[in-house]
Every structure is written in C-alpha cells, then in structure tokens.
Amino acid sequence: MSSDQQYPYGPQDSYGPQDPYGQRNHQDPNVTQTWEGQTWDTQYQPTVEPVAEPVQHAPYHPGAADTTYLPPQDPSARAYALPPEVSVAPGSPAAPAAASAAYEPGIAGQGIAGHGAASAPPAAGEPQAAGEPAYSAPTTLGNARITDAQRARAEGRSPIIPPGMQPAGLTAVIGLLLAATAGASPYLLLIPLIALQGLTAAGWFRLNGMWPARQGIALAFAGGLAADAVLLATGSGHAPAVIIGTLGVWVLLTVVLQLRSHASADERMYGLMATVASAALTIVAAGYLAVAPEAVAVAGASVAAAVLARALPLPGAASVVVALLAAAGAGIAAGGATGVGSQGALLGLGAGVCALVGLRVASYDYPSRFVHMTAGVALPLTAAVPAVYLLGRALI
C-alpha cells in the first residue's frame, strides 16, 4: 500500500514541518514509496456473526421462595428421571444425608461417585413399626411431636378420649380422702375438698379451650372458698341458700369483669359463660360440707370404685355396667361400715351414675393430657354432689 493511499494529504500538511532540523525530504512523485515495517492484510475480511440478544429473565423478588426460580434449561440437554422417594424419619441423623443424596444429576438409578445410594436407611436403634409413620423426638426447630389428641383429630377418629387409669387413680384417692375425713371433722374435710375445687376450676376452663385464664380460674376458685367459709359459719341447714346466694354474687362479679374487658363481644360472651359455669361447679362442690358424713363416705367410695372400673379395658356397654355394679357394691360396703345399711347401694348407684356423666364430659372434644389430669380427676366427684345431697337427705 502506498503512502499516498494511507495518508492522502500530500504536500498540504497543515501540521507544519515535521523535520526537527528544518530539512524536508523532497521525493520524486513518480517513485512509489513502500512500507518497510509490519502492516496488515486488507484482503482478509473476517465474518462477523450476529450477536444474540440477551435473554430477559423475570425480575427476582427477594420475598419469594427460592424454589420459584427455574434457571433456563438447554433443550438439547439429557432428560433425567425423577429421584426415588426417600422414607426417612424427620429429625433423624440420616435425614440430612438422605435429603442431599436423594437427587443427583445423572442417569436414572446412578449417583455421583462417593455419595452412595440415593436413599439412606433409618438410624439404627430407632423403632419403626411396619405401615406406621415414625415420629421424631421433640425439637425446637418446628418439628415437635404431636399429641394424641392432635393425631386423633387429624385421623378423623372419635372426639371421645377417656382419661385412663392414672386420672382415675387420682379421683379414687380424693374420693377416699373425702370418705375418711368426713366423719372426723369438717375442717379436715376441707383439705381434699379445696384440692377438688381447684382442679374443677382449672379443668373446666381448659376443657373449653380457654388458656391461659388465670383471672377466671382465680375468680371461680375464690367462689368455692367463699361458699366453704359461709357453710362452715352457718351450718348445713342453710346450704341451699348459701350455695345459691354465693353463686348469684359471683355471677354479678363475672358480668362486671367482662364489661370492663376490651375484647370483642363474642369473646366476652364466651368468657362469661365459661367463668359462670366454672364458678357454679366449684361452688356446688362445697355441698360436701352440707351432706351428712355417712353420705359423704358412701359417695366417696362409690365414685372411686366407679371410675376405676370404667378405666378397665372393657367394651363400652360392658364397661358402664361393670362401673355401676362396682359403685353399688362399694356403696353397700361403705354403708355397712357407716351404719347406713343396704340403702348405701342406692346412694352409691346414684353417685356412680353422676360420676360417669362427669367422666364423659371430661372425655369430650379431643381433650389434652392437662384436661385429663384436671377435669378428668375432678368432674366425677363434683358431678356427684347434687345426687349425694338429695339422696343423703332422703335416705339418711
């Protein structure tokens, strides 16, 4: 390439003389000047490929789950089979390893070397029955063990869950304490009676799903203590007036407290009904102080025998019959010891029927263990008070 083609300015150089010594090299215009240095080849024309437009992805939202973003897939890539399902108990030591090795990109049925099989067996020593789900130990990571009531509700089973033998044993203990202390002194009778009233107040609130309810429990329990104090002061002759009067005062106090509440109207009405019912049951339990000591002894023994028999693993109808027979038999035995005689059978049968009603109430609507240990213990004895009072006054 000539210099004239590369720099077609010729002698009209507007930049002035370039020779630092003032001497310009005059060349013959007929002589072609050639380059002695490196240059480029103008005959080579490279092919310019069209630039692909960048793929526009949907904007990433930090709040969305990471699983909502799917990277672009190459259509020519090999399609892989879905990973096999892994049956590993959550929370077990093998769960993280199985979760990481459950899916590895590769040919179906194969894994990356060093990772082992896709599914890991459960941890050694962990019991797991065939066909039943395995439940892990309670943790603080949101994988807590579900209760028996929650499992029964999830499986759609009956909402009736009997308390069992342990609450029945506690009921029997309190009943026998009532029977033993009734003939000794009314002040000794207060010891198991106050325990019964406390369990009744707390158990009824928890049975209705209201927890925590410290104010309502304290109010109902205070009503029971007030009824005890008034009965000890006035005697058993004024028992109906004392119980009804105390209940009326406590209903008024409950209404005043609910009016001062800032909850919604529905919540206040629900709290009012639960508090009134709990106070009524707790105050009615004070009726043991107004019953003859012989009737209290028969009732305590009969209720203890009824709940223990009802807790035995027997069919439904047979269990009820056995429980009533046990209550009547305990009434006869206690009646013979206290001088009531054969009339103790009728008194024991009435107390046993009311005890089974209270036990049924404590078993309803998927009760928790706390309900079983409070309402399941107290309601059989508390529900028997009206029958014991009426039959005691009629028979003794």
Side-chain angles (χ1 to χ4, degrees):
M1 179 184 295
S2 65
S3 61
D4 294 341
Q5 295 177 352
Q6 183 69 22
Y7 300 100
Y9 302 107
Q12 295 142 359
D13 191 358
S14 60
Y15 297 98
Q18 301 296 326
D19 191 357
Y21 301 101
Q23 298 179 359
R24 185 180 299 273
N25 296 328
H26 299 282
Q27 299 178 356
D28 189 356
N30 297 323
V31 179
T32 303
Q33 183 179 2
T34 59
W35 291 95
E36 296 180 359
Q38 247 181 342
T39 183
W40 58 86
D41 187 5
T42 59
Q43 301 298 323
Y44 173 72
Q45 298 294 334
T47 303
V48 179
E49 297 181 358
V51 180
E53 296 182 359
V55 180
Q56 296 183 357
H57 301 288
Y60 177 72
H61 300 282
D66 294 338
T67 56
T68 59
Y69 173 74
L70 296 177
Q73 301 291 335
D74 186 5
S76 62
R78 176 179 296 177
Y80 302 110
L82 291 176
E85 296 185 0
V86 183
S87 176
V88 179
S92 61
S100 61
Y103 175 72
E104 296 291 347
I107 302 176
Q110 297 179 359
I112 297 179
H115 285 259
S119 61
E126 182 179 3
Q128 180 176 359
E132 296 183 2
Y135 297 96
S136 62
T139 64
T140 58
L141 302 178
N143 188 24
R145 184 192 301 273
I146 63 174
T147 62
D148 294 338
Q150 292 173 340
R151 185 181 298 113
R153 187 189 297 272
E155 294 176 356
R157 289 186 288 170
S158 172
I160 305 298
I161 302 178
M165 184 58 71
Q166 187 174 1
L170 294 177
T171 303
V173 170
I174 297 177
L176 293 177
L177 287 176
L178 289 173
T181 57
S185 171
Y187 295 98
L188 289 178
L189 182 61
L190 278 177
I191 298 175
L193 180 59
I194 290 175
L196 175 64
Q197 289 172 325
L199 292 174
T200 302
W204 186 260
F205 272 94
R206 194 64 184 92
L207 183 62
N208 285 269
M210 300 184 64
W211 194 265
R214 292 183 294 269
Q215 185 179 8
I217 293 173
L219 183 63
F221 183 62
L225 295 180
D228 296 341
V230 176
L231 280 174
L232 289 175
T234 60
S236 60
H238 303 281
V242 169
I243 291 177
I244 294 176
T246 307
L247 182 58
V249 172
W250 251 252
V251 169
L252 181 60
L253 288 176
T254 304
V255 172
V256 172
L257 289 177
Q258 292 299 325
L259 289 177
R260 293 172 57 88
S261 175
H262 298 286
S264 63
D266 293 338
E267 291 179 355
R268 283 185 292 177
M269 180 58 68
Y270 191 68
L272 174 64
M273 299 305 297
T275 306
V276 168
S278 179
L281 290 172
T282 307
I283 292 171
V284 165
Y288 278 115
L289 293 173
V291 181
E294 296 83 2
V296 176
V298 173
S302 300
V303 171
V307 294
L308 288 176
R310 188 70 174 89
L312 296 176
L314 298 174
S319 178
V320 172
V321 173
V322 170
L324 293 178
L325 291 177
I332 294 175
T338 56
V340 176
S342 60
Q343 294 178 348
L346 183 59
L347 182 59
L349 184 61
V353 171
C354 294
L356 293 184
V357 172
L359 195 63
R360 180 74 170 188
V361 172
S363 306
Y364 186 68
D365 198 15
Y366 301 102
S368 63
R369 187 63 178 171
F370 186 86
V371 174
H372 283 165
M373 299 303 294
T374 53
V377 173
L379 285 185
L381 287 167
T382 302
V385 174
V388 173
Y389 179 79
L390 295 176
L391 292 176
R393 289 180 63 90
L395 300 177
I396 301 176

